[in-house]
Amino acid sequence: MSETFDPKRRLCPDGSCIGVIGPDGRCSVCGRTGDGRPRVLAGGAPAGSDAVDDGEGASASAGGAGFDPQRRLCDDGSCVGVVGADGRCGVCGKEAGAAL
């Protein structure tokens, strides 16, 4: 193997990413800039976000300004879902408050 360790490499500033900042100034994995700003797509949403249009011209995102502190997490401890307006988990489909 002819790869050598580059002591001047810059790791991605996103603590949950394993990428390295490339010659273009962006992370090779998530696209963040070297200063930590997320890559922005043509529609204005950060790349990698789960931004969705609410039908009224605004968008909600899984992180940042779209964070809902009133959200209810799924009762199933092994699920990562959130209970929706219908009272069911958006991932596993279990009804909120139902016996596990």
Side-chain angles (χ1 to χ4, degrees), residues 11-30:
L11 301 179
C12 178
D14 183 336
S16 63
C17 181
I18 60 169
V20 176
I21 303 299
D24 63 351
R26 297 195 175 278
C27 174
S28 60
V29 175
C30 72

Side-chain angles (χ1 to χ4, degrees), residues 16-54:
S16 63
C17 181
I18 60 169
V20 176
I21 303 299
D24 63 351
R26 297 195 175 278
C27 174
S28 60
V29 175
C30 72
R32 281 193 184 274
T33 61
D35 62 7
R37 291 180 296 156
R39 179 181 63 172
V40 178
L41 301 176
S49 74
D50 294 330
V52 292
D53 188 353
D54 68 359

Side-chain angles (χ1 to χ4, degrees), residues 41-94:
L41 301 176
S49 74
D50 294 330
V52 292
D53 188 353
D54 68 359
E56 297 178 4
S59 66
S61 167
F67 177 76
D68 179 9
Q70 301 299 317
R71 75 191 189 285
R72 179 171 178 194
L73 302 179
C74 180
D75 294 331
D76 185 335
S78 63
C79 181
V80 296
V82 176
V83 176
D86 63 354
R88 294 194 166 277
C89 173
V91 174
C92 71
K94 289 186 179 173

